[in-house]
Amino acid sequence: MNFESLLCKTYQPNYTCYEFACEAWLHITGISLSGRMQDFLNGIGGFEQLEAPASPCIAFFYRSDKSPTHVGLFIDGRILHLGYRGAQYVPLDLLMTTFKEVRFYK
């Protein structure tokens, strides 16, 4: 999969990990995720939770029950996500050093 064009993206107040995940999903799969993501964030829709990650899938990361949820995409054993330092494609275990839990969805 070629998503190098996404790695130049930077975090902005109006372009967060959610917008990045939607753009990346559309780029990779050709399917829009925006409506489903908005429904999920508003608690009126959802995704199918996976028992194990499948490439590609959506990954939601949690630090605690009170912290905001972070989202990225699981692709070939790594996570494509947007953080304050910009877009990254890193191993899952590296990202898990700062998060308590991850759940995978399709």
Side-chain angles (χ1 to χ4, degrees):
M1 271 177 236
N2 186 351
F3 47 80
E4 282 190 36
S5 62
L6 296 168
L7 294 175
C8 66
K9 302 291 181 169
T10 59
Y11 185 92
Q12 304 291 322
N14 62 343
Y15 188 81
T16 67
C17 62
Y18 293 101
E19 288 82 13
F20 178 79
C22 290
E23 181 179 356
W25 189 263
L26 179 62
H27 179 84
I28 292 164
T29 68
I31 299 168
S32 176
L33 191 61
S34 298
R36 288 179 64 202
M37 185 71 77
Q38 193 62 42
D39 287 348
F40 179 78
L41 295 174
N42 289 324
I44 58 174
F47 297 99
E48 176 188 341
Q49 188 169 355
L50 304 172
E51 290 187 29
S55 184
C57 69
I58 303 153
F60 286 103
F61 296 87
Y62 306 91
R63 286 189 175 97
S64 73
D65 294 337
K66 296 180 182 181
S67 68
T69 302
H70 182 62
V71 64
L73 304 182
F74 177 87
I75 304 168
D76 297 330
R78 298 171 68 115
I79 298 294
L80 177 64
H81 76 111
L82 181 68
Y84 293 115
R85 296 181 186 169
Q88 297 179 322
Y89 184 54
V90 297
L92 175 60
D93 54 340
L94 178 65
L95 198 56
M96 289 307 296
T97 61
T98 59
F99 291 95
K100 177 179 129 184
E101 183 180 355
V102 61
R103 295 181 194 150
F104 301 99
Y105 296 86
K106 196 77 163 170

